[in-house]
Amino acid sequence: MQNKSIAQMAAELRLRTYSSVELTRHYLERIARLDRRLNSFISVASESALAAAERADRAIASGDAGPLAGIPIAHKDIFCTAGIKTSCGSRMLDNFVAPYDATVVERLAAAGAVVLGKTNMDEFAMGSSNETSYYGPVHNPWDADRVPGGSSGGSAAAVAARLCAAATGTDTGGSIRQPAALCGITGIKPTYGRCSRWGMIAFASSLDQAGVLARSAADAACLLDEMAGFDPRDSTSADVDVPDYVDALDDDIAGLRIGLPKEYFGEGLDPRVAASVQDAIKEYERLGAKVKEISLPNSPLSVPVYYVVAPAECSSNLARFDGVRYGHRCENPKDLEDLYKRSRAEGFGAEVQRRVMIGTYVLSAGYYDAYYLKAQKIRHLIADDFTRAFEDVDVIMGPTAPTTAFELGAKMDDPVAMYLNDIYTIATNLAGLPGMSIPVEPVDGLPVGLQIIGNYFQEARLLNVAHRFQHVTHWHQGAPSGFE
Amino acid sequence: MQWETVIGLEIHTQLATQSKIFSGASTAFGAPPNTQACAIDLGLPGVLPVLNAEAVRLAVRFGKAIGAEVAPRSVFARKNYFYPDLPKGYQISQYELPIVGEGRVEIVLGDAAVKSIGVTRAHLEEDAGKSLHEENLAGGGYTGIDLNRAGTPLLEIVSEPDMRTPQEAVAYARKIHQLVRWIGISDGNMQEGSFRVDANVSVRPLGQTRFGTRTEIKNLNSFRFIERAIQFEVERQIDVIEGGGTVVQETRLYDPERDETRPMRSKEEANDYRYFPDPDLLPVEIDVAFIVDAVADLPELPDSMRERFHTQYGLGEYDASLLTAGRELAQYFEAVVQATAEPKLAANWVNGELAAALNRSEIEIARSPVSAAMLAGLIHRIQDGTVSGKLAKQVFEAMWSGEGDADSVIQARGLRQITDSGELEALIAAIVAANPGQVEQYRAGKDKVFGFFVGQVMKESKGKANPQQVNEILMRVLASD
């Protein structure tokens, strides 16, 4: 049951082959039985999920069901959900229940989706291995000793382990694509502004974007169709028409022009990962695509630029967590300063504190020009590289991450090594472009991701390109052992 | 040594929008604490600001009213600091690119001299909440936070350091206060905190061009406090320098009870606000059509009206500036002039009796019991000689206390001037006959006795005799016998 596509589930729910309550119970049973090995959920909302499933069944029976009626999904715990705790993976919000739904949550609910629970994540989405979560690390379903990637590690592991049909995620520097790659699933980060950020707890506002983690491009298209679109509550959301992503999946890709940035195949890339990615690109050539080497000369600067811009915004975004109105408050503060300092020192983990401090530093008087302003200038240069590249190619391809999933704890003492895991994904966020990761041939039983980057608002093209590959390959169908 | 004072003001004026600058919560004053604060005002996780277009429109009106350039593109920035009444840990303001650029306003000083004061900029920002410090019965203190005010739209108007006396500073503050009310962008209510002033003050030896070290006095909420606080601060700074010390750059608070300023925080303790453009808000792009629409119903501005009153009605600068202190007052005055064609008389009455009565009763012109039509009615009766100027004041008082219009009061109180010469002749003849001694004295050359007769006539006529006629008849009667 859990291996069926969302389209198939939706069809069978309508045929009453099984009910949404049965489907939901099936997933809840899998979570109860299997998630002890993964720790991919922070909250499981059995009661509200079954209630939603019953509503979906009634809607199906009465013929006014939404496109996702009865489909059980999970939300990354960064999306506010009225009635279910939203922790953002942090002790700071361990007691927080939002009085509102995020727009993404609202839209998926309106389409009839059933929310099984909230998935684990790096604290405030800061991390690439899901090890910074207050709720403990998530284990990779393909190898429990390895990380699932991050920050949407819980969503990626849960989808790979078939604990939900699909899940939402957010991507600030690779947080959808990198865990999708490491867990062998399909992830899409849309264009900045494509999905509303309302109700999505901010890490770095100019980079954050909601997206989908699913088992296939077709499944991802089903969710994105519902999530995308302008929202008057988010001033940065784009008022640009949303095409039907499912409709575009089967479009012909003969003549597709693929650009391979030489900077994405250099030092630091595991040669076995490189070989797997190259094989996938050969498959595209067989499908009629034309491949061409391109250059994104400023891309080596994307990691340092990111680690100025993102911490700067995070230092300000996280100032609201002060122990005054909600969230963690220290015991017996002796004065206001003590309240602030201890509440924040106790509520935030080490990586969050590190980034708040870096961000505070780069915005300080005397350093602003040298760090923040300079980073913003380079950010424009990085975006310009892509604009030039897209004059000659339709999509850009390369590896999603330089290696397969690494072992838990391997990079926790070396933040820079951890940061470099996002070296191929970060530039996309800095430019605001859409990007995907799809599974290609694994290396030593561990998944490898192919990254596909498109021009602004070209999500339909990305999903189409990914879908045509998945039509002729089976890498996306493999399930980790024990979770089939 | 001769000292020169240099003053610049930062004025925070609350914009008269229905809802907050970045949320839909109401801005109405006086609601129970925290009942007008939504998720956005509370800074809950995941919420986002959306700019209120009405706040932008009001800022544009101000920009145009001071002849400033309205920026085609302005940018909201975050001003980061921690305080319990600042829910997000930052205030959304404008920093490098404000919505209103350089402009000017004119102030009229006591000697009727006109001085031009530069406005450096004006920018949009959100207000913070309020901290309420209270003591409980056990003697312990606690602080409550009311976030009703958080997110209220403010326009911060920054002046050039162009003022040289506390009186000029007050005149400038009054001018801005007049203007924001005049163009309908703020109620200017100082008790409710809708109009708050920070004063930057420094002194320097007269003739020196370099500025002295300044201090900033925060949150002055009355014109009297502005004057007193600056006066105190100027004297304090001069004392410090003349005593061999140096003025420290710091923020100070004015204590009206003790009439002194006290240090709040020094430059070293000052926050590093770490301003950066707010990534949650797009730059504000304003096109010509928006500006045209925003100023379409902008009324004639006070400076232009003052100048017109001066040239068109021949009023003095001082009278004209008093009459244009507020838009309702100016409209009232013009209504009286239109009905009577007597601008000088109208000005005297509006600036005299009416202003005094309003002051005494502490009410606004809009609620004056004597309407413009009523005052015009009274002036008509002065013009046509029905009442004397002196009795007219009685009529005014009666109208003020609700006894009806001028004609009804004159009728009811019998205040009509006696202009019937027969009646006056008889009255005067009787008085002359009854005072032969005084007649003797007058005829002996004691001119002063003439006044005695006038007094007697006015007394007998209860003030209603037409003074001019009384003079003529008396003169004739006393001379003829």
Side-chain angles (χ1 to χ4, degrees):
Chain A
M1 185 118 93
Q2 68 277 2
N3 287 312
K4 293 175 180 188
S5 72
I6 287 178
Q8 196 177 354
M9 283 183 207
E12 289 173 353
L13 283 167
R14 277 171 171 74
L15 290 170
R16 323 295 268 293
T17 313
Y18 43 82
S19 68
S20 176
V21 169
E22 286 170 301
L23 188 62
T24 301
R25 282 224 171 88
H26 174 73
Y27 277 112
L28 288 171
E29 182 276 322
R30 282 183 68 82
I31 294 169
R33 182 160 49 86
L34 299 170
D35 198 40
R36 269 168 292 186
R37 284 143 68 176
L38 302 178
N39 193 30
S40 67
F41 279 83
I42 289 174
S43 302
V44 178
S46 312
E47 221 169 284
S48 61
L50 288 168
E54 275 176 35
R55 282 198 301 276
D57 284 333
R58 279 198 302 274
I60 289 167
S62 66
D64 60 356
L68 293 176
I71 305 292
I73 61 163
H75 287 301
K76 185 178 182 178
D77 209 18
I78 199 168
F79 292 98
C80 288
T81 43
I84 311 173
K85 175 173 90 171
T86 301
S87 73
C88 222
S90 180
R91 183 185 181 192
M92 182 60 86
L93 291 179
D94 186 43
N95 60 4
F96 179 70
V97 180
Y100 42 82
D101 278 334
T103 298
V104 161
V105 171
E106 200 176 85
R107 289 190 177 183
L108 287 170
V114 170
V115 178
L116 297 167
K118 308 288 291 287
T119 58
N120 204 342
M121 56 182 285
D122 278 298
E123 185 179 11
F124 284 102
M126 297 177 204
S128 308
S129 67
N130 221 298
E131 291 169 289
T132 70
S133 170
Y134 172 62
Y135 300 91
V138 175
H139 299 265
N140 192 315
W142 296 88
D143 179 345
D145 294 332
R146 292 177 189 270
V147 302
S151 65
S152 310
S155 287
V159 170
R162 277 86 173 139
L163 305 185
C164 54
T168 55
T170 60
D171 190 315
T172 304
S175 282
I176 287 174
R177 291 159 289 159
Q178 184 256 17
L182 270 48
C183 288
I185 60 168
T186 299
I188 180 162
K189 175 204 99 76
T191 309
Y192 180 79
R194 180 88 280 189
C195 295
S196 169
R197 292 189 295 116
W198 170 263
M200 192 176 108
I201 299 177
F203 157 22
S205 313
S206 75
L207 301 161
D208 296 342
Q209 179 57 207
V212 189
L213 296 103
R215 277 178 292 109
S216 67
D219 283 0
C222 290
L223 265 74
L224 197 59
D225 264 338
E226 305 307 318
M227 291 161 62
F230 176 67
D231 178 5
R233 291 177 296 187
D234 174 3
S235 309
T236 63
S237 90
D239 198 357
V240 176
D241 283 344
V242 181
D244 188 316
Y245 298 126
V246 173
D247 268 4
L249 286 171
D250 287 311
D251 288 358
D252 194 5
I253 61 163
L256 179 78
R257 297 169 302 165
I258 300 173
L260 302 182
K262 61 179 185 207
E263 293 82 5
Y264 283 22
F265 291 88
E267 202 186 335
L269 176 63
D270 182 331
R272 298 168 306 167
V273 169
S276 186
V277 166
Q278 292 291 3
D279 282 350
I281 287 159
K282 287 199 188 81
E283 186 65 50
Y284 272 108
E285 288 182 299
R286 279 194 287 278
L287 289 168
K290 304 264 180 293
V291 174
K292 149 175 200 195
E293 188 187 89
I294 59 164
S295 176
L296 301 169
N298 292 293
S299 64
L301 296 171
S302 57
V303 171
V305 165
Y306 178 86
Y307 280 97
V308 170
V309 174
E313 294 182 13
C314 120
S315 72
S316 176
N317 282 333
L318 269 56
R320 69 189 60 199
F321 305 108
D322 56 6
V324 174
R325 296 168 313 288
Y326 52 80
H328 179 73
R329 177 187 288 182
C330 67
E331 298 281 343
N332 305 315
K334 66 174 199 286
D335 56 21
L336 181 62
E337 181 135 339
D338 189 43
L339 168 78
Y340 284 150
K341 285 184 172 167
R342 278 201 292 129
S343 298
R344 288 168 66 80
E346 293 165 6
F348 291 143
E351 182 61 25
V352 170
Q353 292 189 27
R354 177 171 17 247
R355 296 198 196 188
V356 167
M357 285 189 281
I358 292 171
T360 303
Y361 179 81
V362 299
L363 289 176
S364 297
Y367 298 99
Y368 180 85
D369 288 2
Y371 289 103
Y372 184 80
L373 217 53
K374 192 163 192 180
Q376 289 295 3
K377 285 178 188 159
I378 301 172
R379 186 174 176 178
H380 283 294
L381 298 178
I382 290 168
D384 292 346
D385 281 357
F386 282 106
T387 303
R388 264 191 301 277
F390 283 120
E391 285 168 9
D392 297 326
V393 301
D394 302 309
V395 293
I396 292 169
M397 288 188 186
T400 305
T403 64
T404 55
F406 44 93
E407 291 188 345
L408 284 158
K411 297 186 182 183
M412 279 305 274
D413 299 330
D414 187 352
V416 174
M418 186 75 89
Y419 297 168
L420 286 172
N421 214 256
D422 294 328
I423 188 158
Y424 306 131
T425 49
I426 277 175
T428 326
N429 299 79
L430 291 170
L433 293 164
M436 275 192 86
S437 180
I438 58 171
V440 294
E441 186 174 2
V443 168
D444 290 342
L446 291 173
V448 172
L450 169 75
Q451 183 175 210
I452 314 170
I453 301 167
N455 212 337
Y456 297 102
F457 301 105
Q458 294 289 304
E459 290 81 7
R461 189 63 161 159
L462 288 188
L463 289 161
N464 160 233
V465 166
H467 179 72
R468 295 302 296 219
F469 180 84
Q470 292 180 336
H471 195 62
V472 297
T473 58
H474 61 275
W475 308 118
H476 64 292
Q477 287 164 346
S481 127
F483 298 95
E484 302 93 339
Chain B
M1 185 181 298
Q2 280 264 66
W3 295 94
E4 182 179 46
T5 303
V6 176
I7 306 159
L9 299 186
E10 291 168 19
I11 296 176
H12 295 83
T13 185
Q14 180 179 329
L15 295 174
T17 56
Q18 296 296 307
S19 59
K20 293 185 177 176
I21 185 168
F22 299 119
S23 84
S26 167
T27 53
F29 180 81
N34 297 311
T35 56
Q36 285 177 177
C38 69
I40 294 171
D41 308 322
L42 291 167
L44 289 184
V47 302
L48 294 168
V50 175
L51 179 59
N52 181 343
E54 179 64 7
V56 177
R57 197 181 74 86
L58 299 182
V60 168
R61 279 168 84 82
F62 179 78
K64 285 297 164 190
I66 61 162
E69 195 207 350
V70 171
R73 184 174 176 279
S74 62
V75 171
F76 282 101
R78 293 184 183 178
K79 179 180 181 178
N80 296 283
Y81 65 97
F82 283 95
Y83 203 70
D85 63 19
L86 188 71
K88 298 185 294 297
Y90 57 83
Q91 178 195 25
I92 305 177
S93 182
Q94 296 188 312
Y95 187 54
E96 285 180 333
L97 297 170
I99 185 161
V100 173
E102 277 178 47
R104 302 207 77 81
V105 295
E106 288 182 349
I107 57 173
V108 179
L109 303 172
D111 57 1
V114 175
K115 180 170 177 173
S116 171
I117 305 290
V119 172
T120 315
R121 59 183 282 172
H123 63 257
L124 284 166
E125 63 184 24
E126 59 177 346
D127 207 344
K130 251 196 288 199
S131 298
L132 303 159
H133 308 285
E134 286 180 27
E135 300 221 335
N136 60 26
L137 291 173
Y142 63 95
T143 299
I145 307 292
D146 177 7
L147 294 173
N148 282 353
R149 211 179 63 185
T152 296
L154 300 178
L155 188 67
E156 178 173 339
I157 303 156
V158 183
S159 84
E160 289 290 306
D162 283 351
M163 289 147 277
R164 294 291 173 267
T165 65
Q167 293 71 31
E168 284 184 18
V170 170
Y172 167 77
R174 281 191 185 279
K175 180 75 203 191
I176 297 294
H177 188 250
Q178 167 208 41
L179 193 59
V180 296
R181 288 162 45 113
W182 190 285
I183 61 175
I185 66 166
S186 175
D187 66 16
N189 190 319
M190 296 178 91
Q191 282 81 45
E192 293 176 6
S194 300
F195 194 85
R196 313 193 290 267
V197 176
D198 301 341
N200 285 293
V201 179
S202 65
V203 296
R204 62 182 171 190
L206 193 64
Q208 178 183 302
T209 49
R210 186 169 45 80
F211 292 129
T213 304
R214 71 188 152 87
T215 59
E216 183 180 14
I217 314 166
K218 281 276 188 200
N219 260 330
L220 299 163
N221 64 356
S222 88
F223 295 118
R224 197 165 60 91
F225 293 168
I226 296 170
E227 184 166 353
R228 301 284 288 272
I230 295 173
Q231 190 58 50
F232 173 88
E233 185 56 20
V234 167
E235 287 164 15
R236 188 191 69 83
Q237 290 187 10
I238 292 171
D239 283 350
V240 166
I241 299 169
E242 289 185 340
T246 50
V247 173
V248 180
Q249 188 178 335
E250 61 188 359
T251 303
R252 299 178 70 89
L253 276 180
Y254 176 68
D255 179 348
E257 310 235 315
R258 296 186 178 188
D259 190 25
E260 63 178 25
T261 66
R262 282 200 300 272
M264 191 166 111
R265 56 174 181 260
S266 72
K267 191 186 176 191
E268 285 70 36
E269 294 167 295
N271 283 305
D272 177 355
Y273 291 122
R274 291 169 284 125
Y275 281 100
F276 74 105
D278 191 332
D280 287 335
L281 290 160
L282 303 175
V284 184
E285 312 258 356
I286 295 174
D287 59 17
V288 175
F290 186 89
I291 296 176
V292 167
D293 183 61
V295 300
D297 60 342
L298 208 58
E300 184 185 6
L301 295 173
D303 283 351
S304 135
M305 208 180 244
R306 192 191 73 228
E307 197 45 39
R308 186 164 61 76
F309 285 5
H310 178 59
T311 53
Q312 183 180 342
Y313 299 143
L315 303 180
E317 284 282 0
Y318 186 71
D319 267 347
S321 77
L322 285 182
L323 290 169
T324 51
R327 196 171 154 208
E328 285 83 6
L329 185 69
Q331 283 170 335
Y332 184 108
F333 167 73
E334 287 230 273
V336 176
V337 173
Q338 263 155 27
T340 62
E342 282 280 358
K344 285 192 177 152
L345 204 47
N348 287 342
W349 276 92
V350 172
N351 283 340
E353 294 304 303
L354 179 70
L358 289 171
N359 236 333
R360 233 177 4 250
S361 313
E362 294 183 335
I363 56 172
E364 301 281 321
I365 182 77
R367 300 182 46 203
S368 166
V370 177
S371 69
M374 286 163 79
L375 183 58
L378 175 58
I379 290 173
H380 278 305
R381 292 299 160 258
I382 299 169
Q383 283 174 298
D384 66 14
T386 306
V387 286
S388 64
K390 197 168 171 197
L391 283 183
K393 291 185 182 176
Q394 261 188 60
V395 178
F396 182 86
E397 292 303 327
M399 291 197 296
W400 186 266
S401 32
E403 291 179 27
D405 65 13
D407 287 340
S408 328
V409 171
I410 292 165
Q411 183 69 35
R413 292 195 168 196
L415 297 177
R416 182 175 296 276
Q417 200 158 240
I418 303 170
T419 50
D420 176 334
S421 49
E423 196 178 333
L424 281 177
E425 296 263 7
L427 183 68
I428 288 167
I431 287 167
V432 169
N435 294 287
Q438 277 78 3
V439 175
E440 283 293 319
Q441 287 177 21
Y442 179 76
R443 290 188 180 151
K446 243 186 156 185
D447 287 350
K448 275 206 284 190
V449 181
F450 189 79
F452 163 80
F453 285 105
V454 172
Q456 288 298 308
V457 174
M458 294 316 270
K459 192 177 157 199
E460 286 297 315
S461 70
K462 300 199 176 68
K464 292 184 287 185
N466 182 317
Q468 213 174 332
Q469 276 177 302
V470 171
N471 273 351
E472 285 167 19
I473 298 170
L474 259 180
M475 206 86 87
R476 178 161 44 77
V477 170
L478 289 170
S480 67
D481 271 44

